[in-house]
Amino acid sequence: MVSAKKTLNDIKWGSRQRLQFIEMMAYYTGVVTRTDIVNAFGISDAAATKDLNFYSQLAPANLIYKHAVFGFVPGDAFRELFADLSPAVVLPMLAANLPATGSPTGANPIYGISVDSLPLPSRLPSKTVLAQLVRAIRTRRKLTIKYHSLSDRESKSTRIIEPHSLINTGLRWHVRAYSEETYDFRDFVLSRIIDAQLRDDGAESSVLYDDDWMETVTLQLTPHPNLTKAKRESLVIDYGARGEVIELTTRRALVGYVLQRLAVDTSVDHSLNPNAYQLIVMNREEIEPFAGWAFQ
């Protein structure tokens, strides 16, 4: 038996990253395999097996080998030992496709520069809810969720959804899913999901049926006409555009979020304050059908 206290203090950074990855994969996807570690870190099968064995020595109650999936699943007594599994840490890792986080340099910037971010509200779900969502997406299964909607028309709090993707708008996180209640694909705000339970039945609506997710559209934006010529020219340079047209290609399902994030004036007569809403839409008729809520 390995002395956990002594070993934890002596583990090198490279090994610690792989142990973090083992915990994150096991908890959030429901299974971690040797192949997962090999693909994430580019190591040999033997080295990945050694990592799994080492982890099992350090936390014998955390992982249980399941032959049906040829991997380890989290046990009922699972408690993270190496990784910070809070949604605030995990979701950016999913977005950046990072296998591990946390640096041995601590708060000391390794490049010698200071970087800060805005103190925005977290607007995140609980760890257990996020884990159920990730597992449902990965295994293509349905979820029963309890959801708080802001729409007066959607008073029912319990729904059955078939999620296929996560969305980061820069302000909050959503899950894209088929709703069995409304018979369509829509976005659910993660922070409004207060409970989620994985169902035994598999998802019937593949992401391939979500036309607005699979199809893209190009937004054509330009500086607000009420800005001075100098400001318009600066904006064009700022966005790296050629001419005065800023073109952004995005999934049709994400059009509204892009307009919202860039603070685009979507009023018909461009009546909003140009200093706060510095861009306008040039191809409104083409993109409005995909994000009516974002237009005034």
Side-chain angles (χ1 to χ4, degrees), residues 10 24 26 44 63 106-107 111 125 142 151 177 203 223 241 248 261 283 286:
D10 295 339
M24 180 172 167
S44 67
L63 300 181
Y111 296 105
K142 297 182 181 180
S151 172
L248 299 172
R261 193 74 176 90
N283 58 335
E286 180 184 0

Side-chain angles (χ1 to χ4, degrees), residues 257-266 273 276-280:
Y257 302 133
V258 176
L259 296 175
Q260 186 181 55
R261 193 74 176 90
L262 294 178
V264 177
D265 182 348
T266 56
N273 183 349
Y277 299 87
Q278 298 177 332
L279 300 173
I280 64 170

Side-chain angles (χ1 to χ4, degrees), residues 136-137 140-142 160-165 176-180 183-185 201-210:
I137 293 172
R140 292 201 64 244
R141 289 162 67 184
K142 297 182 181 180
I160 297 175
I161 65 172
E162 301 174 20
H164 67 68
S165 301
R176 182 77 175 175
Y178 180 79
S179 170
E180 291 198 353
Y183 306 106
D184 61 1
F185 287 94
D201 43 344
E204 300 171 0
S205 297
S206 164
V207 61
L208 298 177
Y209 299 137
D210 188 351

Side-chain angles (χ1 to χ4, degrees), residues 28-42:
Y28 275 104
T29 73
V31 60
V32 60
T33 68
R34 180 178 62 185
T35 302
D36 291 328
I37 304 171
V38 169
N39 291 340
F41 293 95

